[in-house]
Structures are given as structure tokens and as C-alpha cells.
Amino acid sequence: VEPDVEAHAKAAVPGADVRERGDIGADLHVAGRSREGLGQDADAGAGISASAISWVTLTPYALAGLVFGPIAGWMASKLGYKYVLQTGLIGTVVGLIISIFVVGAPNAWTLLLVSIFLGVTYAGIANIMLNGLGIVLSPADNQGYLPGMNAGAFNLGAGLSFALLFGVDTAVGSAVGTAAGYRAGILTGAVLLVLALGLSLLIPRPDEADGVPPDSRGDVEADGVAGGVAELVGVPFEYG
């Protein structure tokens, strides 16, 4: 085995990457469905029609991710994929927590703003960074390995979300009330995202897979983040 291939194979840690992908798939799929359900619910929600709800939730979410994706890619080139990924995950947790409070007084504008925010943090940052890490951390002789497993795990998580998170929503909603059910479903999704954030700590940096000596990885990471921030604000920074 060539040294670079062996380094990539050892550093990929596909289990952590794939488990995180499944958690994110389950969480964001049900978060989107919860926003749609809340928006259309005439009693506990905003009572928006089925023909208009996508313009308030799914379409702004997708457009926000489309617009912010290139910006996130540029940020990753300055700060590193893993750092930007974790920033996106934290931002998405914040967005879901905000969504819990939106359940109390939902309207078209609050749903729109939450959808845009989650579109930026997840579709525009976390999702793209995880795909990028899947490419750069795949074994050199099988570049499609992790991206393929990522896609499979995401779809699996999205499918299981109907059984898990909607089950929580229905059970709590039947026992306590519809609004409480929405909150419980979103909160469960937020917990899964926190788990995904913890799993992201097991994902190695691309420079670790490229053979950077262990005793210098801390310096590389510190320089990468500090230098990236300096470049973002236009301040000169001396690496090393």
C-alpha cells in the first residue's frame, strides 16, 4: 500500500462520518416536515394553505442554501472543512431551538425567517462541508467511498425520521396537545444534531490524512483557524 493511500484509509474514520450523516438526515428531514405541518395546521399553527406553504418553508430554505453554499466553500478554504462544518451544526441547533419558541405563536414571517436561517446553517454549510470532507478523506484509490456512504446514511436517516420523530410528535401531541407534539419532535431532532456534533469530533482533519506529523497537528489547526480569520477580516497573518 502506498503511504498516501494508507494514510487516507486510516484517517477516514467512515463510521463516525456515516453515523453523523444519518443523525443529520433524520433531524433535518423531520424539521422540514414539522415546519410544513405547523404552517398548515389551522389550530396550533399558522393555517397557511397547502399551495402556499412551500413558498414559506421549503423554497426559501433551498434558495438560502444555494446562495450561501459558495460562501461556505470559500470559508472552508480559509478556516478548514471541519471547523466550518461544526459551525453549521451549532447554528442549526440554534435554529431548531428558535423553532421550538416559534411553535408558540407561528405565522408566515416567523416560519419564513426560520426556514432561511436553517437553509444557511444546514443546506448552505453543514451539508456541503460533510460532502466535501467525504471527498477529501476518502481513500486515494476509492474517491467515491465516503460520498456514497454519506448519501446512503443520509437517506436512511431521512427514512427513519418518519418512524422515530413523527412517533414522538404523535405520542406527545395525543397526550399533551398538538403544540407540545411539535415541540417534542423538534427537540428530539435537536438532540440528534447535538449527537452529530459530538460525532464530528471524531472526523480527522484533511491535513491529518495527508501525513502531517502528530506533534505538529495542533500548530497546523491553530494556524489554519487563526490565519483564516485574519484573512477574512483583511489582517496580515504570518503562518508557522
Side-chain angles (χ1 to χ4, degrees):
V1 179
E2 295 295 328
D4 59 332
V5 175
E6 184 177 8
H8 278 280
K10 289 181 178 179
V13 194
D17 204 7
V18 170
R19 286 193 300 272
E20 178 184 21
R21 188 66 165 175
D23 289 341
I24 292 177
D27 171 60
L28 269 299
H29 192 71
V30 80
R33 293 298 183 185
S34 294
R35 291 197 310 276
E36 284 188 29
L38 182 63
Q40 295 181 69
D41 195 317
D43 297 322
I48 302 172
S49 67
S51 61
I53 188 63
S54 292
W55 295 102
V56 178
T57 56
L58 296 181
T59 300
Y61 169 86
L63 291 176
L66 176 65
V67 171
F68 204 81
I71 300 174
W74 175 72
M75 291 171 60
S77 70
K78 304 295 184 181
L79 305 176
Y81 284 96
K82 184 175 177 179
Y83 181 81
V84 178
L85 166 66
Q86 291 169 337
T87 301
L89 291 176
I90 293 172
T92 306
V93 171
V94 172
L96 291 183
I97 293 174
I98 294 173
S99 299
I100 294 174
F101 292 99
V102 168
V103 173
N107 58 63
W109 286 108
T110 54
L111 290 173
L112 174 64
L113 292 175
V114 168
S115 297
I116 293 174
F117 184 82
L118 290 175
V120 170
T121 58
Y122 172 70
I125 300 179
N127 189 31
I128 292 175
M129 292 304 102
L130 199 55
N131 285 330
L133 280 169
I135 294 173
V136 300
L137 293 177
S138 287
D141 60 344
N142 189 2
Q143 291 293 319
Y145 172 59
L146 281 179
M149 293 191 71
N150 273 339
F154 183 87
N155 291 331
L156 177 63
L160 290 176
S161 69
F162 285 102
L164 174 61
L165 300 183
F166 278 150
V168 172
D169 186 336
T170 302
V172 175
S174 299
V176 184
T178 304
Y182 284 123
R183 290 191 181 97
I186 296 173
L187 179 60
T188 303
V191 170
L192 289 177
L193 254 186
V194 172
L195 176 60
L197 179 61
L199 289 173
S200 73
L201 300 175
L202 301 178
I203 300 176
R205 287 169 51 89
D207 53 33
E208 294 177 20
D210 289 334
V212 177
D215 58 354
S216 66
R217 286 174 189 163
D219 295 337
V220 169
E221 183 166 355
D223 274 4
V225 174
V229 172
E231 290 185 38
L232 286 175
V233 298
V235 178
F237 181 83
E238 183 176 351
Y239 290 86

